[in-house]
Amino acid sequence: MARRTTSSSTGGSPGPRNRTPQPLPRRRRTFGDFVKAFGAFVALLVLLVGVPGALVVAVGWPLPHGAPSLDWLQQEITVGTFIHVLTVIVWFAWAQFTACVLVEMKAALSGVGLPNRVPGAGASQLLARQLVAALLLVGAAAASFTPGLSQLGQSLEGNQHGSVAAAQQTPGGLFGQQERAATAAAAAVAEQAADASQAAAQADSGTSARHGDTKYYRIQPPEGRHHDSLWEVAQRHLGDGRRYKEIYELNKDRTQPDGSRLSEASLIRPGWIMEMPGDAHGGELVEMPDGRPGIPEQAQPQIQRQIHDYAKTGDHQQAGGRQGSGADRADRDTAHFRVPQQRAGGDQGQERERAADEAATDSRDGQSSRPAAEESGSAFGLPEALVGAPLLAAGLLGALGRRRRQALWQSALGAVRGHRGMEPPVPTGSAADAQDALLVGADPDGVRLLDLSLRGLAAALAAESRPLPTVYAAWLGGNGDLHLQLAQPAGKPPTPWQLGQDQTFWMLARADAERYEETDTAAPYPGLVSLGTMDDSRLLLNLEAVPGIVSLSGSATDRAGVFASVAAELATNGWSDRMTITLVGFGEDLTPLAPNRLRHLDDIEALVETMEAETRQRRGALGAAGHDSVLTGRTGPAQHTRWAPHLVLLAAEPSPVDALRLAELAADAGRLGIGYLVGTESGELPGAAWEMEITREGKLLAPLLGLELDAQTLPVAQQRAVVELFVGADPEGGPDGPTDTPPFLVDISEQGRPAVYARLVGPYEIIGLETPEGERSPLLHEALALLLLHREGVHPRVLSSALWPRGVTEDVRDALVERLRGWLGTDPDGTARLGADATGRLTLAKSVVSDLDVLRSLYHEATQGKGVNSRVVRGRLLTDALVLVRGPLLADRPEGRYGWLTHEIIDAQLPLLVADIGLALSAFHLEKDRAEKAIEALNASMNSAPADERLWNELLRATHATGDEDKVKRLAADLVARSGARGLPPRTEALLDELLPTWRSGAAAVS
């Protein structure tokens, strides 16, 4: 059974806002309301009847009575001509206003969504809407006085989809439906023929004995635009809105006075009867056999009959229902979102057990039952908001790595011959903590599997000529399984997907996901974004599939954390191709995370104007392509970026008028690939389809959607630290300007011989230490390699997450650190070679050196040290440096280990460093016209950096310097063949034009 975590306790934070979180004022219409309605009626009468009548009487027919001729152009323009032209304009304005009134009246009486927009009728339609609403307000008030006129017009049979069950209606539609339901409701009342006193005697006496007299509540008609809800009823009469499930359990599937049944807690109608728990209190309750004092006297017998008849319907259901009512009973019908059932004995659990066993073999000091993820963090504290957001952390870490690699290449390509590109700066302070938290929390494997699974599903459905189903949410289970929650049943999923707990769940086991391969398919659900966790499952909401606006209430600070988290994950996630994310009211400083995705607008007016244009464009594009939604386009021949989503994050609460305009735009957004997340202070946002609240305790609540999550947020301090990382990724844009000083230099003289020397560039070798025992050797070698690549220090939690990605206990990690410290030993002065800095990060002594440290130091000394003023020293240092390059980094590392290297940029730094050395040595030889020696140095560098354009260009120059034109032609042909369909880079083409003007004809002959 799917479980709920909604608590029934009365303590804790105040109940969340969903629909109307506070008890709504129930008032009768005043004399002023009737005056307003009468005024609206008179205004409509004057505008709809009086204006055309006045035009007919005062002006008459304004258009010519005959066919136009050229003589008209020569006639004098008189006052009468102006009057007739103005009359025609007034007639057009009257026709437009009349159309607005008809559209608004139709929407009000039908109650189906928001009214259509009349072209060019902004202010006119708004005026018509207000007049129609004011006029129908009196009709709604009159209906609410009549017993049995309770139906709001929400046809349960016509609203079975959970997606729109919580969507709010426009005021006119609500009132019109209530009037229309009056006849049917009155008939339902008349059919109640049972005797009231006899029904009271047959009520459930057992329950009354336990809880006091049985009490009932009659769902009230709406006041203005507000609806009654089970949450509000529980809040008013039970003291805690979270107890709405108890009311639901007592009344589920019982026949109501209008013949309908309660099947979902979010779908209730005015006039329905609700049996209440025995501890309910409040003046609106009916305690049998007495009638409610608030009911008009002439209506009491009818309503009492309804309640007595309703009480009898519970005799055959309530005995079992009451035993399991409340928060302790699973409810699969109440909410639209349900935590998927987890498979017993999942693969992920077995993997964690294997990881724990592996870790246990490394420690003889015993095991701890507390996982490392639960460390208190006083000495090893990191921002838990990032540690606890694995998908967000993986996206940010991947984007940061790409930014740093891009900066390295740009710096290298922009450098002058022989001068090194810039090294990225090492983060410090809060930026360093944020980077460590990303390293600890990131789950790149989970992101990869999610992306492969979704694209694989899209490819399989396309192969079967089936459309993509609408997905409201994805759940990532604790065992690694992926569950997609569909808007409605979509048949049997393609293999290896399976049906989940019901027809609206498609499930893919982690083991099946790992068998997926890369496929050239558009990302089907790029709008998925993490909101938080529930019962060890992580919820990703598909923002672009929501049938309307998603509203988020709560304090401004708490909302800002959610908005920032959503924006950052959407901007950097690994399961989308292209998208546009528009931020309004926040996030201007987040742009560096993804300048190509994120854009910032100053105000809501600019947003509305932009989205109106895009909505029209997308509707037209879908119609021209023959697609019913963007999901069809993503699996059709167009595919890919044409149907990229546009997600709007509006942190500033819009005005009621702007909210209605956004609601109109969002009404069709689900099929257009547009999503809206809008913040609100009050929790009341017109047109909101789904409503959520973020509490000060970090809970994300949406009771009528069945959600109570531990929210994923990105607080302001972490936002700034993450942005600092991205800004610092560009060395040219740093506060101190560019710098080419390596972070760690060693003494390369004979006196600087290290005590421990590790060879990382090529096969991994360690000189100066004995090889540890077999079982512990791989872990110790890997830990030392990580420390050698981070001379600035490594956080203990980063070390443990790198060595044990699936988690490990704190004492096992500490035992490994101590064993590593003992293995490395001490310097002659007694100082341990493995220490810790002031922040608690593990650092190595200068006596522990790698060949990568020596490589950097040799190049730095040759180009910025002694080699600057001594040609002989420069040549010797560069030659020694190139000899150290024996292959790629850690060439023989065992499979399944060193996964943390995917987070590093050493794979880009090392080839660039080797290329810089080769270029400098080539320039050294060419200065003395030793072209063959220059070619030899360049070829040696190409073994490590075969794609570096600078090496190929310098090789062309060196080959040309030999004077052998045939060699140049062969090299040019080789370059053309290597470039393939992309063609040669512009710089290489220009160089060939200079050195070998006939190269194009030779390349054509070769091809």
Side-chain angles (χ1 to χ4, degrees):
M1 291 284 288
R3 299 195 301 112
R4 291 288 185 280
T5 60
T6 305
S7 173
S8 61
S9 65
T10 59
S13 61
R17 302 174 186 271
N18 205 316
R19 286 294 154 233
T20 44
Q22 300 299 328
L24 296 173
R26 302 290 178 180
R27 64 178 185 86
R28 299 182 183 276
R29 295 292 182 246
T30 64
F31 176 73
D33 294 330
F34 287 94
V35 171
K36 291 179 183 178
F38 179 75
F41 173 76
V42 172
L44 287 173
L45 189 64
V46 170
L47 293 174
L48 297 180
V49 180
V51 170
L55 290 175
V56 170
V57 173
V59 182
W61 182 253
L63 299 177
H65 295 281
S69 65
L70 294 177
D71 294 338
W72 286 9
L73 300 177
Q74 302 174 356
Q75 291 182 0
E76 182 181 359
I77 298 177
T78 64
V79 175
T81 304
F82 276 111
I83 293 177
H84 282 80
V85 171
L86 292 175
T87 302
V88 171
I89 295 175
V90 174
W91 272 110
F92 275 117
W94 172 84
Q96 186 187 58
F97 180 76
T98 303
C100 293
V101 173
L102 294 176
V103 167
E104 295 294 331
M105 188 68 73
K106 177 180 179 297
L109 295 178
S110 64
V112 180
L114 291 167
N116 296 324
R117 296 193 62 188
V118 177
S124 297
Q125 189 163 6
L126 182 60
L127 175 62
R129 183 176 303 163
Q130 292 172 345
L131 293 175
V132 170
L135 181 61
L136 294 181
L137 189 64
V138 176
S144 67
F145 290 132
T146 307
L149 302 188
S150 55
Q151 284 66 273
L152 198 57
Q154 296 178 352
S155 172
L156 185 62
E157 295 75 18
N159 290 277
Q160 290 297 321
H161 299 304
S163 63
V164 295
Q168 298 184 9
Q169 310 284 339
T170 57
L174 296 177
F175 298 143
Q177 286 186 337
Q178 185 173 351
E179 288 183 327
R180 221 171 32 162
T183 305
V189 173
E191 292 176 359
Q192 307 298 327
D195 180 77
S197 58
Q198 183 179 0
Q202 295 175 352
D204 191 348
S205 57
T207 302
S208 299
R210 288 190 304 270
H211 303 291
D213 294 334
T214 303
K215 300 171 185 177
Y216 295 88
Y217 175 78
R218 182 169 173 269
I219 303 300
Q220 298 300 303
E223 289 290 330
R225 57 172 291 278
H226 301 299
H227 302 263
D228 211 348
S229 68
L230 291 188
W231 178 277
E232 294 175 18
V233 174
Q235 184 73 33
R236 290 196 301 270
H237 301 298
L238 298 176
D240 186 356
R242 303 186 187 201
R243 295 184 63 187
Y244 75 95
K245 288 187 178 183
E246 298 180 37
I247 306 175
Y248 174 78
E249 289 295 339
L250 287 171
N251 298 277
K252 184 171 66 173
D253 295 329
R254 297 170 66 179
T255 303
Q256 293 291 336
D258 63 354
S260 302
R261 297 174 183 269
L262 175 65
S263 60
E264 293 189 13
S266 57
L267 292 178
I268 61 174
R269 302 183 184 180
W272 279 7
I273 308 299
M274 294 290 123
E275 183 175 348
M276 301 291 289
D279 60 341
H281 54 82
E284 295 179 331
L285 298 176
V286 176
E287 185 171 333
M288 301 306 295
D290 300 326
R292 180 166 65 89
I295 302 177
E297 185 177 351
Q298 64 274 18
Q300 285 191 20
Q302 293 175 325
I303 294 180
Q304 283 184 341
R305 243 190 328 269
Q306 284 184 314
I307 294 175
H308 285 307
D309 289 335
Y310 182 76
K312 289 192 298 183
T313 64
D315 288 345
H316 63 286
Q317 299 176 7
Q318 295 298 95
R322 288 184 180 119
Q323 293 174 2
S325 63
D328 60 331
R329 179 174 172 177
D331 169 19
R332 303 206 308 174
D333 300 320
T334 301
H336 304 307
F337 289 96
R338 306 190 297 279
V339 178
Q341 296 174 352
Q342 303 295 331
R343 297 180 302 126
D347 298 333
Q348 186 74 359
Q350 296 175 6
E351 291 177 358
R352 289 180 177 175
E353 291 178 4
R354 288 196 297 269
D357 293 341
E358 176 187 344
T361 62
D362 185 62
S363 173
R364 295 179 178 176
D365 302 327
Q367 298 187 27
S368 169
S369 60
R370 186 165 64 95
E374 297 177 2
E375 296 168 357
S376 61
S378 57
F380 301 140
L382 291 176
E384 293 299 330
L386 295 173
V387 173
L391 304 185
L392 170 61
L396 288 171
L397 205 56
L400 181 61
R402 291 190 296 271
R403 184 71 54 81
R404 286 173 171 170
R405 290 183 179 89
Q406 182 182 12
L408 279 172
W409 282 105
Q410 288 177 346
S411 178
L413 293 176
V416 182
R417 288 176 54 189
H419 289 276
R420 173 160 174 67
M422 303 301 144
E423 289 282 353
V426 177
T428 58
S430 60
D433 289 339
Q435 178 172 275
D436 288 340
L438 294 177
L439 291 168
V440 172
D443 183 13
D445 196 46
V447 171
R448 180 183 63 85
L449 291 179
L450 176 62
D451 184 46
L452 289 177
S453 301
L454 296 177
R455 293 181 194 267
L457 174 64
L461 290 172
E464 298 178 7
S465 298
R466 295 172 59 186
L468 285 167
T470 299
V471 170
Y472 280 157
W475 294 89
L476 284 175
N479 58 2
D481 294 348
L482 172 63
H483 301 255
L484 298 183
Q485 188 164 353
L486 314 183
Q488 55 189 7
K492 182 180 179 181
T495 307
W497 290 78
Q498 308 170 28
L499 282 175
Q501 60 200 53
D502 58 38
Q503 294 290 325
T504 61
F505 274 94
W506 284 4
M507 189 273 291
L508 180 69
R510 181 185 178 95
D512 293 328
E514 289 174 340
R515 287 193 284 268
Y516 267 122
E517 298 180 354
E518 298 284 347
T519 178
D520 185 22
T521 303
Y525 304 111
L528 287 169
V529 64
S530 303
L531 292 184
T533 56
M534 175 194 284
D535 291 355
D536 200 29
S537 292
R538 184 167 300 275
L539 171 67
L540 288 84
L541 177 68
N542 190 6
L543 265 183
E544 66 168 341
V546 178
I549 293 174
V550 179
S551 71
L552 177 67
S553 61
S555 70
T557 301
D558 295 325
R559 293 202 320 269
V562 175
F563 272 101
S565 171
V566 170
E569 185 168 300
L570 288 173
T572 61
N573 73 52
W575 53 88
S576 63
D577 298 317
R578 284 181 62 244
M579 70 170 62
T580 300
I581 308 163
T582 298
L583 311 180
V584 185
F586 82 107
E588 191 171 6
D589 56 336
L590 295 176
T591 305
L593 301 185
N596 295 329
R597 284 192 179 187
L598 291 170
R599 68 176 181 180
H600 183 270
L601 294 180
D602 294 332
D603 51 42
I604 299 176
E605 188 64 32
L607 172 67
V608 172
E609 181 179 350
T610 300
M611 298 314 299
E612 283 178 344
E614 179 155 352
T615 299
R616 287 194 301 268
Q617 186 273 331
R618 290 201 173 214
R619 283 173 179 160
L622 281 178
H627 301 315
D628 57 353
S629 74
V630 294
L631 292 180
T632 308
R634 286 175 188 158
T635 54
Q639 287 195 17
H640 297 293
T641 58
R642 183 176 181 184
W643 309 111
H646 185 168
L647 304 174
V648 176
L649 308 181
L650 174 58
E653 182 170 11
S655 67
V657 174
D658 289 331
L660 287 175
R661 295 171 68 186
L662 288 174
E664 292 178 2
L665 292 172
D668 197 27
R671 73 182 191 92
L672 301 178
I674 301 176
Y676 295 87
L677 177 63
V678 181
T680 172
E681 288 282 353
S682 62
E684 290 294 329
L685 188 69
W690 295 344
E691 296 182 340
M692 299 184 296
E693 180 192 10
I694 176 68
T695 70
R696 294 190 179 277
E697 292 75 24
K699 294 289 185 179
L700 190 66
L701 306 176
L704 297 186
L705 296 178
L707 294 180
E708 183 178 344
L709 304 172
D710 293 322
Q712 176 175 299
T713 64
L714 187 59
V716 175
Q718 278 71 64
Q719 292 177 43
R720 293 172 179 167
V722 168
V723 170
E724 183 180 343
L725 286 173
F726 278 80
V727 173
D730 181 7
E732 300 289 341
D736 300 324
T739 175
D740 60 354
T741 302
F744 180 75
L745 297 176
V746 298
D747 185 358
I748 56 176
S749 66
E750 188 66 26
Q751 293 76 19
R753 183 179 298 275
V756 178
Y757 182 65
R759 306 178 74 182
L760 305 180
V761 185
Y764 191 2
E765 300 176 13
I766 297 179
I767 302 172
L769 293 176
E770 295 183 1
T771 303
E773 297 179 15
E775 292 182 353
R776 300 189 178 105
S777 180
L779 277 174
L780 292 174
H781 277 72
E782 187 174 356
L784 179 58
L786 177 61
L787 290 166
L788 285 168
L789 291 178
H790 289 277
R791 302 303 306 224
E792 73 277 8
V794 176
H795 197 288
R797 293 182 68 178
V798 173
L799 178 66
S800 63
S801 65
L803 299 181
W804 294 286
R806 303 184 187 98
V808 71
T809 54
E810 182 181 356
D811 60 337
V812 171
R813 180 203 66 198
D814 293 342
L816 173 74
V817 172
E818 289 304 316
R819 186 165 287 110
L820 180 62
R821 182 176 285 113
W823 180 45
L824 292 175
T826 60
D827 285 332
D829 61 357
T831 304
R833 292 177 181 141
L834 177 62
D837 62 12
T839 65
R841 289 176 171 83
L842 301 173
T843 58
L844 292 173
K846 289 187 176 182
S847 58
V848 182
V849 174
S850 73
D851 55 354
L852 187 58
D853 298 327
V854 176
L855 193 66
R856 286 170 171 157
S857 300
L858 287 170
Y859 177 74
H860 180 267
E861 191 68 21
T863 56
Q864 299 183 46
K866 296 179 181 179
V868 174
N869 300 318
S870 174
R871 172 180 168 78
V872 175
V873 172
R874 182 168 71 253
R876 177 175 56 81
L877 293 174
L878 291 173
T879 302
D880 290 346
L882 201 56
V883 170
L884 288 178
V885 181
R886 301 174 299 123
L889 187 77
L890 298 169
D892 58 351
R893 60 180 180 267
E895 185 177 359
R897 290 200 175 275
Y898 297 86
W900 47 269
L901 280 173
T902 59
H903 302 317
E904 306 286 340
I905 61 168
I906 187 63
D907 60 334
Q909 288 175 300
L910 180 58
L912 284 176
L913 176 59
V914 174
D916 287 336
I917 294 171
L919 291 169
L921 188 56
S922 171
F924 170 82
H925 288 303
L926 287 176
E927 288 176 0
K928 294 296 184 178
D929 295 326
R930 294 197 292 262
E932 295 295 340
K933 288 286 186 179
I935 293 174
E936 182 181 342
L938 292 169
N939 284 327
S941 298
M942 283 185 181
N943 292 329
S944 296
D948 197 314
E949 180 189 354
R950 300 172 302 157
L951 290 177
W952 285 103
N953 292 350
E954 197 65 20
L955 185 60
L956 280 171
R957 292 190 180 94
T959 306
H960 183 266
T962 63
D964 190 338
E965 187 174 338
D966 290 337
K967 282 186 177 181
V968 179
K969 288 181 179 179
R970 287 194 295 272
L971 181 57
D974 188 20
L975 279 173
V976 172
R978 285 172 176 268
S979 63
R982 294 178 300 176
L984 291 173
R987 295 186 183 187
T988 304
E989 281 193 2
L991 181 61
L992 279 173
D993 288 336
E994 176 189 348
L995 302 179
L996 188 67
T998 61
W999 74 274
R1000 297 180 189 275
S1001 58
V1006 172
S1007 60

